[in-house]
Amino acid sequence: MRDAQFLRANTGRTIKMTVPGPFTMAQQCEDQHYRDEEALALDYAAALNDEIKDLFRGGRRRSAA
């Protein structure tokens, strides 16, 4: 959220943030805990959902792309 706030404070233009998806994150991490790709991806999805909500609260608007 701090990055979105910084951008919003320094531009009047549309800002964009790139966020990887939970499946991509599950594929790229070293899983020493879950040992269950679906459970890992679902927990990443929950964490990403919280992060995206924080980004919107920080001034990031929804984009079609």
Side-chain angles (χ1 to χ4, degrees), residues 6-21:
F6 173 81
L7 288 171
R8 179 56 43 227
N10 289 285
T11 187
R13 302 178 108 183
T14 300
I15 60 171
K16 297 180 180 181
M17 305 290 286
T18 302
V19 180

Side-chain angles (χ1 to χ4, degrees), residues 14 16 23 28 30 33-34 42 45 59 62-63:
T14 300
K16 297 180 180 181
F23 178 75
Q28 294 178 346
E30 183 177 329
H33 173 73
Y34 287 85
L42 288 172
R62 217 176 253 187
S63 170

Side-chain angles (χ1 to χ4, degrees), residues 5 8 31 37 46 55 63 65:
Q5 289 172 329
R8 179 56 43 227
D31 177 13
E37 190 174 297
L55 289 172
S63 170

Side-chain angles (χ1 to χ4, degrees), residues 4 13 38 43 48 57 60:
R13 302 178 108 183
E38 182 179 351
D43 276 359
L48 285 170
R57 280 192 292 275
R60 170 67 182 90

Side-chain angles (χ1 to χ4, degrees), residues 22-53:
F23 178 75
T24 300
M25 294 176 76
Q27 292 290 303
Q28 294 178 346
C29 77
E30 183 177 329
D31 177 13
Q32 295 181 357
H33 173 73
Y34 287 85
R35 309 231 193 279
D36 177 349
E37 190 174 297
E38 182 179 351
L40 175 60
L42 288 172
D43 276 359
Y44 269 131
L48 285 170
N49 188 35
D50 290 341
E51 181 68 19
I52 291 167
K53 286 177 182 176

